[in-house]
Amino acid sequence: MLWDRNRILPVKALADRRRALILWVSETTLPSAIAQACDLAAINVLVAKNFDICLSHVAAYKPDLVLQDIALTGTWPDFINHVAKQRVTPSLPVLDFVGEPNTFLNLGPKSNTAEALLTIKGLLRRERPCALNDTRQVGEFSLDVASFKLFHATDWVGISKADLCILGPFFDVPDIVFDRCSLARLVFGSTGMCYSSRTIDAQVSRMRRYVNAHLGVDPIRSVRGVGYALASDNFRSHFS
């Protein structure tokens, strides 16, 4: 995976407001990687030490995301349904935190800041993109998540949520080559399904054709034998 091979530097969000994340953990301290990722993503963290506090926080603070420690919530099989009843937001994604190492599809104790940030923002793009109200610029490209727009110089094109999920990671960690496996995880999420390289290739190709048809420029470049990178003047390969 991308975050296992390289030291990558995520970019701090420049948001008008900080979102809220309810974290239900068994430890007294927040894992540093998740804390750093939340700060970079402009997310305020509220820690709930038990089930009742977690539900009351959800009702009171209108969070955009709940991070559950399944070592605790595993004893409450209807945890997500309970959260859904308490929420006052139209939708509320729940992200799993797993105590075992090498979890792959979830955050875990060995997750680093880049993986935590990319995972959190990938989930929000898929399920609650309105929460990501920051605009990120890399080179001549700019991505406005809240309005579903991709800008190039003075031109722009409206994009779908699927396109947003593909483009988003490239703006979270600019100048990085994404391998297909890492990009597929961020685009499709922790569904338990196995997506082949052809699946992500097809999605990326469709998005590139659409953007190129409207802006006359390809936002992504292929990196032979690896995956994809943002087509910007600042491009450099971390696999070189």
Side-chain angles (χ1 to χ4, degrees):
M1 302 292 284
L2 169 71
W3 34 82
D4 294 331
R5 297 187 185 185
N6 301 279
R7 175 175 174 80
I8 58 180
L9 301 175
V11 176
K12 187 178 182 66
L14 300 176
D16 295 332
R17 69 178 182 90
R18 293 182 69 88
R19 296 163 288 279
L21 177 150
I22 303 297
L23 180 75
W24 189 19
V25 295
S26 55
E27 302 295 333
T28 56
T29 58
L30 182 66
S32 61
I34 295 178
Q36 293 168 9
C38 290
D39 182 59
L40 289 169
I43 290 176
N44 287 323
V45 177
L46 299 171
V47 178
K49 297 298 180 63
N50 62 53
F51 180 79
D52 291 333
I53 293 176
C54 180
L55 294 183
S56 66
H57 279 0
V58 169
Y61 293 102
K62 306 179 182 65
D64 291 307
L65 177 67
V66 170
L67 177 60
Q68 65 165 332
D69 183 346
I70 63 173
L72 295 177
T73 57
T75 62
W76 293 83
D78 293 329
F79 172 76
I80 294 179
N81 291 332
H82 284 290
V83 169
K85 291 178 182 179
Q86 293 296 322
R87 75 185 184 205
V88 289
T89 52
S91 61
L92 180 58
V94 177
L95 180 65
D96 292 341
F97 179 84
V98 182
E100 296 296 325
N102 303 317
T103 54
F104 180 70
L105 289 178
N106 304 279
L107 291 179
K110 293 188 177 181
S111 297
N112 59 31
T113 300
E115 181 179 7
L117 176 74
L118 288 165
T119 301
I120 289 170
K121 294 194 72 174
L123 175 64
L124 288 174
R125 274 189 291 265
R126 293 191 304 273
E127 298 193 22
R128 192 168 165 76
C130 61
L132 298 171
N133 62 341
D134 59 311
T135 300
R136 182 67 48 76
Q137 182 170 354
V138 180
E140 292 190 344
F141 288 102
S142 180
L143 183 67
D144 188 332
V145 177
S147 66
F148 288 77
K149 292 179 180 178
L150 176 68
F151 293 83
H152 180 260
T154 58
D155 298 324
W156 64 271
V157 61
I159 58 176
S160 66
K161 187 165 71 171
D163 296 336
L164 183 69
C165 289
I166 294 171
L167 288 166
F170 294 99
F171 288 84
D172 291 334
V173 284
D175 310 333
I176 289 294
V177 178
F178 276 88
D179 61 89
R180 289 174 173 82
C181 184
S182 298
L183 187 58
R185 172 188 166 181
L186 298 171
V187 171
F188 301 119
S190 304
T191 61
M193 297 180 64
C194 179
Y195 293 95
S196 67
S197 60
R198 289 185 179 181
T199 304
I200 192 65
D201 286 344
Q203 292 292 326
V204 171
S205 177
R206 177 198 51 75
M207 181 274 295
R208 293 171 72 175
R209 289 196 304 270
Y210 171 77
V211 172
N212 192 39
H214 288 79
L215 296 182
V217 63
D218 190 344
I220 300 295
R221 65 170 69 192
S222 300
V223 180
R224 182 176 298 179
V226 182
Y228 301 99
L230 190 66
S232 72
D233 294 337
N234 298 322
F235 170 85
R236 59 189 174 89
S237 173
H238 281 223
F239 284 78
S240 58

PDB file of all heavy atoms in Angstrom, residues 2 12 20-21 29 45 56 58 79 82 96 99 120 124-125 131 146 153 159 189 200 212 214 216 221:
ATOM      1  N   LEU A   2       0.324   2.329  -0.521  1.00  0.00           N
ATOM      2  CA  LEU A   2       1.079   3.568  -0.642  1.00  0.00           C
ATOM      3  C   LEU A   2       1.698   4.010   0.672  1.00  0.00           C
ATOM      4  O   LEU A   2       2.882   4.323   0.763  1.00  0.00           O
ATOM      5  CB  LEU A   2       0.146   4.666  -1.171  1.00  0.00           C
ATOM      6  CG  LEU A   2       0.688   6.096  -1.127  1.00  0.00           C
ATOM      7  CD1 LEU A   2       1.785   6.256  -2.165  1.00  0.00           C
ATOM      8  CD2 LEU A   2      -0.427   7.098  -1.379  1.00  0.00           C
ATOM      9  N   LYS A  12      -2.697  20.287   5.047  1.00  0.00           N
ATOM     10  CA  LYS A  12      -3.705  20.715   6.018  1.00  0.00           C
ATOM     11  C   LYS A  12      -4.874  21.380   5.300  1.00  0.00           C
ATOM     12  O   LYS A  12      -4.698  22.166   4.381  1.00  0.00           O
ATOM     13  CB  LYS A  12      -3.090  21.708   7.006  1.00  0.00           C
ATOM     14  CG  LYS A  12      -3.993  22.102   8.173  1.00  0.00           C
ATOM     15  CD  LYS A  12      -3.275  23.032   9.113  1.00  0.00           C
ATOM     16  CE  LYS A  12      -4.145  23.401  10.302  1.00  0.00           C
ATOM     17  NZ  LYS A  12      -4.435  22.258  11.168  1.00  0.00           N
ATOM     18  N   ALA A  20     -16.882  17.836  13.248  1.00  0.00           N
ATOM     19  CA  ALA A  20     -16.822  17.122  14.521  1.00  0.00           C
ATOM     20  C   ALA A  20     -16.744  15.626  14.284  1.00  0.00           C
ATOM     21  O   ALA A  20     -17.434  15.075  13.425  1.00  0.00           O
ATOM     22  CB  ALA A  20     -18.046  17.444  15.379  1.00  0.00           C
ATOM     23  N   LEU A  21     -15.886  14.961  15.036  1.00  0.00           N
ATOM     24  CA  LEU A  21     -15.773  13.512  15.005  1.00  0.00           C
ATOM     25  C   LEU A  21     -15.939  12.989  16.420  1.00  0.00           C
ATOM     26  O   LEU A  21     -15.283  13.462  17.344  1.00  0.00           O
ATOM     27  CB  LEU A  21     -14.403  13.096  14.448  1.00  0.00           C
ATOM     28  CG  LEU A  21     -14.072  11.589  14.399  1.00  0.00           C
ATOM     29  CD1 LEU A  21     -13.123  11.310  13.234  1.00  0.00           C
ATOM     30  CD2 LEU A  21     -13.398  11.111  15.679  1.00  0.00           C
ATOM     31  N   THR A  29      -5.969   7.887  25.806  1.00  0.00           N
ATOM     32  CA  THR A  29      -5.367   8.833  24.875  1.00  0.00           C
ATOM     33  C   THR A  29      -5.709   8.452  23.438  1.00  0.00           C
ATOM     34  O   THR A  29      -5.834   7.281  23.100  1.00  0.00           O
ATOM     35  CB  THR A  29      -3.833   8.856  25.026  1.00  0.00           C
ATOM     36  OG1 THR A  29      -3.319   7.541  24.815  1.00  0.00           O
ATOM     37  CG2 THR A  29      -3.446   9.333  26.420  1.00  0.00           C
ATOM     38  N   VAL A  45     -12.253  16.624  17.730  1.00  0.00           N
ATOM     39  CA  VAL A  45     -12.450  15.278  18.254  1.00  0.00           C
ATOM     40  C   VAL A  45     -13.091  15.339  19.632  1.00  0.00           C
ATOM     41  O   VAL A  45     -12.630  16.061  20.517  1.00  0.00           O
ATOM     42  CB  VAL A  45     -11.118  14.512  18.342  1.00  0.00           C
ATOM     43  CG1 VAL A  45     -11.329  13.135  18.954  1.00  0.00           C
ATOM     44  CG2 VAL A  45     -10.486  14.386  16.959  1.00  0.00           C
ATOM     45  N   SER A  56     -25.142  10.256  23.440  1.00  0.00           N
ATOM     46  CA  SER A  56     -25.542  11.617  23.814  1.00  0.00           C
ATOM     47  C   SER A  56     -24.725  12.652  23.049  1.00  0.00           C
ATOM     48  O   SER A  56     -25.238  13.711  22.666  1.00  0.00           O
ATOM     49  CB  SER A  56     -25.390  11.825  25.323  1.00  0.00           C
ATOM     50  OG  SER A  56     -24.031  11.761  25.721  1.00  0.00           O
ATOM     51  N   VAL A  58     -23.523  12.230  20.032  1.00  0.00           N
ATOM     52  CA  VAL A  58     -24.039  12.232  18.656  1.00  0.00           C
ATOM     53  C   VAL A  58     -25.269  13.136  18.555  1.00  0.00           C
ATOM     54  O   VAL A  58     -25.403  13.925  17.616  1.00  0.00           O
ATOM     55  CB  VAL A  58     -24.387  10.799  18.207  1.00  0.00           C
ATOM     56  CG1 VAL A  58     -25.162  10.820  16.892  1.00  0.00           C
ATOM     57  CG2 VAL A  58     -23.120   9.970  18.041  1.00  0.00           C
ATOM     58  N   PHE A  79     -25.016  -1.293  17.411  1.00  0.00           N
ATOM     59  CA  PHE A  79     -24.419   0.008  17.700  1.00  0.00           C
ATOM     60  C   PHE A  79     -24.757   1.038  16.621  1.00  0.00           C
ATOM     61  O   PHE A  79     -25.197   2.155  16.929  1.00  0.00           O
ATOM     62  CB  PHE A  79     -22.897  -0.126  17.827  1.00  0.00           C
ATOM     63  CG  PHE A  79     -22.179   1.194  17.925  1.00  0.00           C
ATOM     64  CD1 PHE A  79     -22.202   1.923  19.101  1.00  0.00           C
ATOM     65  CD2 PHE A  79     -21.478   1.702  16.837  1.00  0.00           C
ATOM     66  CE1 PHE A  79     -21.542   3.139  19.195  1.00  0.00           C
ATOM     67  CE2 PHE A  79     -20.822   2.917  16.920  1.00  0.00           C
ATOM     68  CZ  PHE A  79     -20.850   3.630  18.104  1.00  0.00           C
ATOM     69  N   HIS A  82     -28.268   2.193  16.801  1.00  0.00           N
ATOM     70  CA  HIS A  82     -28.470   3.125  17.922  1.00  0.00           C
ATOM     71  C   HIS A  82     -27.964   4.518  17.564  1.00  0.00           C
ATOM     72  O   HIS A  82     -28.597   5.534  17.881  1.00  0.00           O
ATOM     73  CB  HIS A  82     -27.759   2.608  19.168  1.00  0.00           C
ATOM     74  CG  HIS A  82     -28.471   1.482  19.859  1.00  0.00           C
ATOM     75  ND1 HIS A  82     -29.660   1.646  20.536  1.00  0.00           N
ATOM     76  CD2 HIS A  82     -28.154   0.173  19.977  1.00  0.00           C
ATOM     77  CE1 HIS A  82     -30.060   0.489  21.041  1.00  0.00           C
ATOM     78  NE2 HIS A  82     -29.153  -0.428  20.715  1.00  0.00           N
ATOM     79  N   ASP A  96     -14.574   2.184  11.314  1.00  0.00           N
ATOM     80  CA  ASP A  96     -14.100   1.192  12.283  1.00  0.00           C
ATOM     81  C   ASP A  96     -12.647   1.438  12.669  1.00  0.00           C
ATOM     82  O   ASP A  96     -11.804   1.757  11.839  1.00  0.00           O
ATOM     83  CB  ASP A  96     -14.203  -0.222  11.701  1.00  0.00           C
ATOM     84  CG  ASP A  96     -15.641  -0.667  11.516  1.00  0.00           C
ATOM     85  OD1 ASP A  96     -16.520  -0.057  12.158  1.00  0.00           O
ATOM     86  OD2 ASP A  96     -15.882  -1.592  10.736  1.00  0.00           O
ATOM     87  N   GLY A  99      -8.322  -3.137  16.790  1.00  0.00           N
ATOM     88  CA  GLY A  99      -7.150  -3.263  17.640  1.00  0.00           C
ATOM     89  C   GLY A  99      -6.053  -4.136  17.075  1.00  0.00           C
ATOM     90  O   GLY A  99      -4.896  -4.032  17.475  1.00  0.00           O
ATOM     91  N   ILE A 120     -10.170   8.707   6.461  1.00  0.00           N
ATOM     92  CA  ILE A 120     -11.252   9.543   6.980  1.00  0.00           C
ATOM     93  C   ILE A 120     -11.869  10.389   5.867  1.00  0.00           C
ATOM     94  O   ILE A 120     -13.093  10.451   5.700  1.00  0.00           O
ATOM     95  CB  ILE A 120     -10.741  10.428   8.127  1.00  0.00           C
ATOM     96  CG1 ILE A 120     -10.462   9.572   9.374  1.00  0.00           C
ATOM     97  CG2 ILE A 120     -11.751  11.529   8.458  1.00  0.00           C
ATOM     98  CD1 ILE A 120      -9.738  10.317  10.482  1.00  0.00           C
ATOM     99  N   LEU A 124     -15.685  10.314   4.069  1.00  0.00           N
ATOM    100  CA  LEU A 124     -16.551  11.484   4.006  1.00  0.00           C
ATOM    101  C   LEU A 124     -16.907  11.840   2.560  1.00  0.00           C
ATOM    102  O   LEU A 124     -18.047  12.243   2.283  1.00  0.00           O
ATOM    103  CB  LEU A 124     -15.882  12.674   4.691  1.00  0.00           C
ATOM    104  CG  LEU A 124     -15.804  12.603   6.210  1.00  0.00           C
ATOM    105  CD1 LEU A 124     -14.987  13.756   6.769  1.00  0.00           C
ATOM    106  CD2 LEU A 124     -17.206  12.612   6.824  1.00  0.00           C
ATOM    107  N   ARG A 125     -15.970  11.689   1.641  1.00  0.00           N
ATOM    108  CA  ARG A 125     -16.293  11.957   0.244  1.00  0.00           C
ATOM    109  C   ARG A 125     -17.352  10.993  -0.274  1.00  0.00           C
ATOM    110  O   ARG A 125     -18.226  11.377  -1.052  1.00  0.00           O
ATOM    111  CB  ARG A 125     -15.029  11.879  -0.617  1.00  0.00           C
ATOM    112  CG  ARG A 125     -14.231  13.169  -0.695  1.00  0.00           C
ATOM    113  CD  ARG A 125     -13.124  13.079  -1.720  1.00  0.00           C
ATOM    114  NE  ARG A 125     -12.084  12.169  -1.292  1.00  0.00           N
ATOM    115  CZ  ARG A 125     -10.970  12.534  -0.656  1.00  0.00           C
ATOM    116  NH1 ARG A 125     -10.784  13.811  -0.355  1.00  0.00           N
ATOM    117  NH2 ARG A 125     -10.063  11.651  -0.313  1.00  0.00           N
ATOM    118  N   ALA A 131     -19.626  17.727   4.128  1.00  0.00           N
ATOM    119  CA  ALA A 131     -18.829  18.056   5.306  1.00  0.00           C
ATOM    120  C   ALA A 131     -17.445  18.578   4.938  1.00  0.00           C
ATOM    121  O   ALA A 131     -16.799  19.245   5.744  1.00  0.00           O
ATOM    122  CB  ALA A 131     -18.683  16.826   6.202  1.00  0.00           C
ATOM    123  N   ALA A 146     -17.160  20.803  -1.817  1.00  0.00           N
ATOM    124  CA  ALA A 146     -18.548  21.089  -1.450  1.00  0.00           C
ATOM    125  C   ALA A 146     -19.428  21.367  -2.664  1.00  0.00           C
ATOM    126  O   ALA A 146     -20.609  21.005  -2.683  1.00  0.00           O
ATOM    127  CB  ALA A 146     -18.602  22.263  -0.478  1.00  0.00           C
ATOM    128  N   ALA A 153      -7.053  26.527 -14.204  1.00  0.00           N
ATOM    129  CA  ALA A 153      -6.874  27.931 -14.542  1.00  0.00           C
ATOM    130  C   ALA A 153      -8.189  28.666 -14.283  1.00  0.00           C
ATOM    131  O   ALA A 153      -8.687  28.648 -13.170  1.00  0.00           O
ATOM    132  CB  ALA A 153      -6.396  28.074 -15.972  1.00  0.00           C
ATOM    133  N   ILE A 159     -18.408  17.867 -11.464  1.00  0.00           N
ATOM    134  CA  ILE A 159     -18.051  16.446 -11.438  1.00  0.00           C
ATOM    135  C   ILE A 159     -19.023  15.676 -10.549  1.00  0.00           C
ATOM    136  O   ILE A 159     -19.714  16.252  -9.714  1.00  0.00           O
ATOM    137  CB  ILE A 159     -16.600  16.242 -10.932  1.00  0.00           C
ATOM    138  CG1 ILE A 159     -16.431  16.835  -9.527  1.00  0.00           C
ATOM    139  CG2 ILE A 159     -15.598  16.846 -11.901  1.00  0.00           C
ATOM    140  CD1 ILE A 159     -15.059  16.580  -8.916  1.00  0.00           C
ATOM    141  N   GLY A 189     -13.887   2.059  -0.696  1.00  0.00           N
ATOM    142  CA  GLY A 189     -14.110   1.894   0.719  1.00  0.00           C
ATOM    143  C   GLY A 189     -13.979   0.473   1.220  1.00  0.00           C
ATOM    144  O   GLY A 189     -13.591  -0.446   0.499  1.00  0.00           O
ATOM    145  N   ILE A 200     -10.524  -0.165 -11.111  1.00  0.00           N
ATOM    146  CA  ILE A 200     -10.093   1.209 -10.845  1.00  0.00           C
ATOM    147  C   ILE A 200      -9.607   1.864 -12.122  1.00  0.00           C
ATOM    148  O   ILE A 200      -9.811   3.062 -12.339  1.00  0.00           O
ATOM    149  CB  ILE A 200      -9.008   1.245  -9.732  1.00  0.00           C
ATOM    150  CG1 ILE A 200      -8.791   2.696  -9.257  1.00  0.00           C
ATOM    151  CG2 ILE A 200      -7.717   0.618 -10.174  1.00  0.00           C
ATOM    152  CD1 ILE A 200      -9.995   3.312  -8.581  1.00  0.00           C
ATOM    153  N   ASN A 212     -11.401  15.824 -19.618  1.00  0.00           N
ATOM    154  CA  ASN A 212     -10.683  16.282 -20.812  1.00  0.00           C
ATOM    155  C   ASN A 212     -11.641  16.844 -21.853  1.00  0.00           C
ATOM    156  O   ASN A 212     -11.334  17.826 -22.542  1.00  0.00           O
ATOM    157  CB  ASN A 212      -9.873  15.128 -21.403  1.00  0.00           C
ATOM    158  CG  ASN A 212      -8.881  15.596 -22.449  1.00  0.00           C
ATOM    159  OD1 ASN A 212      -8.262  16.645 -22.310  1.00  0.00           O
ATOM    160  ND2 ASN A 212      -8.737  14.822 -23.505  1.00  0.00           N
ATOM    161  N   HIS A 214     -14.353  18.438 -21.292  1.00  0.00           N
ATOM    162  CA  HIS A 214     -14.906  19.717 -20.861  1.00  0.00           C
ATOM    163  C   HIS A 214     -13.846  20.792 -20.616  1.00  0.00           C
ATOM    164  O   HIS A 214     -14.112  21.983 -20.801  1.00  0.00           O
ATOM    165  CB  HIS A 214     -15.730  19.524 -19.580  1.00  0.00           C
ATOM    166  CG  HIS A 214     -17.031  18.825 -19.802  1.00  0.00           C
ATOM    167  ND1 HIS A 214     -17.132  17.452 -19.962  1.00  0.00           N
ATOM    168  CD2 HIS A 214     -18.297  19.305 -19.920  1.00  0.00           C
ATOM    169  CE1 HIS A 214     -18.403  17.123 -20.147  1.00  0.00           C
ATOM    170  NE2 HIS A 214     -19.124  18.220 -20.127  1.00  0.00           N
ATOM    171  N   GLY A 216     -10.419  20.316 -21.706  1.00  0.00           N
ATOM    172  CA  GLY A 216      -9.341  20.224 -22.675  1.00  0.00           C
ATOM    173  C   GLY A 216      -8.006  19.882 -22.058  1.00  0.00           C
ATOM    174  O   GLY A 216      -6.948  20.122 -22.655  1.00  0.00           O
ATOM    175  N   ARG A 221      -2.181  11.618 -14.689  1.00  0.00           N
ATOM    176  CA  ARG A 221      -1.223  10.959 -15.563  1.00  0.00           C
ATOM    177  C   ARG A 221      -0.976   9.541 -15.082  1.00  0.00           C
ATOM    178  O   ARG A 221      -0.967   9.265 -13.874  1.00  0.00           O
ATOM    179  CB  ARG A 221       0.108  11.719 -15.625  1.00  0.00           C
ATOM    180  CG  ARG A 221       0.877  11.762 -14.320  1.00  0.00           C
ATOM    181  CD  ARG A 221       2.267  12.314 -14.556  1.00  0.00           C
ATOM    182  NE  ARG A 221       2.225  13.721 -14.888  1.00  0.00           N
ATOM    183  CZ  ARG A 221       3.273  14.390 -15.360  1.00  0.00           C
ATOM    184  NH1 ARG A 221       4.418  13.766 -15.579  1.00  0.00           N
ATOM    185  NH2 ARG A 221       3.186  15.674 -15.613  1.00  0.00           N
TER     186      ARG A 221
END
